[in-house]
Amino acid sequence: MSRVIVIIGPPGAGKGTQARLLSEKYGYPQISTGDILREMAQAETTLGQEIRATLASGKLVSDEILAEVIRTRTARPDCKNGYILDGFPRTINQAHQLEELAERQEKEVLLVRAMVHQEVLFKRLTGRYTCPKCGEIYNVYFRPSKVEGICDQDGEPLKQRSDDNPESVLRRFEEYKTATAPLIEYYGQSGRLIEIDGEGKVEEIFEKLCSLIEGVISR
Ligand code: AMP
């Protein structure tokens, strides 16, 4: 049976990084709702403006908009054999939407939860800067660029995400605790939940993650 792998975890837990590695290994597309929404936020339309404001504040975009985004994206042919969700579902309502969708698409949902301490998350997010030209990611605490604010590769000024300021980060943690954390219990009861420690070396986390996923799949 084809599969949907969902990565869940607080902002800064490394969902995007692990999702990308899983996508490379299993050949499933990585669907990041954050990336899709950031793209939609660039449109000079009422919807674009609305999404832009919501993202910058750190609040969640509405379940209605997300339902449409996910339905459209997962209908594309590259999702036929399975896909990886990074950032969806984030509410119980979205989890119900996903259950229905997966049933219709005849796919089994597997959930991976990445756990990281809040102090580490805070530094990962508020210290994160990206090069708009080459996409290289730096962190002022863990991986600073040689010259502050400038990309080592191409000398481009680095950019911070509009929601990586301390105020929006705290709001995102709050949204995670109230809206998203209840999903862990929801999926935990179904026996489809894999939990991993999200601190440490990316490659080591990934290796552990793959062996856990393969353990569940072969059951
Ligand atoms: P991310 O890139 O996953 O950290 O998401 C960035 C922002 O996009 C979040 O803080 C939300 O404002 C919005 N977002 C992403 N995924 C969802 C979702 N499933 N439901 C609601 N809002 C979302």
Side-chain angles (χ1 to χ4, degrees), residues 11 15 32-35 37-38 54-55 58-62 66 86-90 94 161 163 172:
K15 299 187 290 292
S32 157
T33 46
D35 283 351
L37 292 168
R38 275 186 286 280
T54 310
L55 292 185
K59 288 190 208 154
L60 293 182
V61 173
S62 74
L66 265 296
D86 148 20
F88 182 93
R90 259 178 158 99
Q94 291 179 11
R161 245 169 72 165
D163 56 352
R172 287 158 67 198

Side-chain angles (χ1 to χ4, degrees), residues 92-136:
I92 293 279
N93 193 3
Q94 291 179 11
H96 292 314
Q97 287 170 7
L98 178 62
E99 290 297 305
E100 273 178 36
L101 189 71
E103 200 177 310
R104 231 179 314 129
Q105 295 174 338
E106 299 182 340
K107 288 188 170 45
E108 195 176 58
V109 179
L110 189 66
L111 195 90
V112 175
R113 174 193 182 195
M115 295 177 295
V116 176
H117 288 100
Q118 186 150 327
E119 319 80 76
V120 180
L121 295 173
F122 193 78
K123 283 188 169 173
R124 280 189 185 177
L125 294 167
T126 57
R128 173 167 69 179
Y129 287 81
T130 310
C131 173
K133 196 167 168 198
C134 70
E136 192 69 22

Side-chain angles (χ1 to χ4, degrees), residues 11-109:
K15 299 187 290 292
T17 305
Q18 296 300 330
R20 181 175 47 78
L21 293 171
L22 284 174
S23 164
E24 283 163 11
K25 181 173 166 115
Y26 292 105
Y28 294 165
Q30 170 189 2
I31 302 178
S32 157
T33 46
D35 283 351
I36 296 174
L37 292 168
R38 275 186 286 280
E39 179 79 36
M40 290 170 76
Q42 289 181 15
E44 286 307 334
T45 57
T46 318
L47 179 65
Q49 273 171 359
E50 191 191 310
I51 296 176
R52 196 150 64 231
T54 310
L55 292 185
S57 73
K59 288 190 208 154
L60 293 182
V61 173
S62 74
D63 287 344
E64 291 70 35
I65 293 178
L66 265 296
E68 183 60 22
V69 163
I70 287 294
R71 201 185 47 73
T72 314
R73 177 62 187 88
T74 64
R76 292 203 350 219
D78 61 344
C79 293
K80 193 166 165 280
N81 296 325
Y83 50 90
I84 299 165
L85 291 176
D86 148 20
F88 182 93
R90 259 178 158 99
T91 64
I92 293 279
N93 193 3
Q94 291 179 11
H96 292 314
Q97 287 170 7
L98 178 62
E99 290 297 305
E100 273 178 36
L101 189 71
E103 200 177 310
R104 231 179 314 129
Q105 295 174 338
E106 299 182 340
K107 288 188 170 45
E108 195 176 58
V109 179

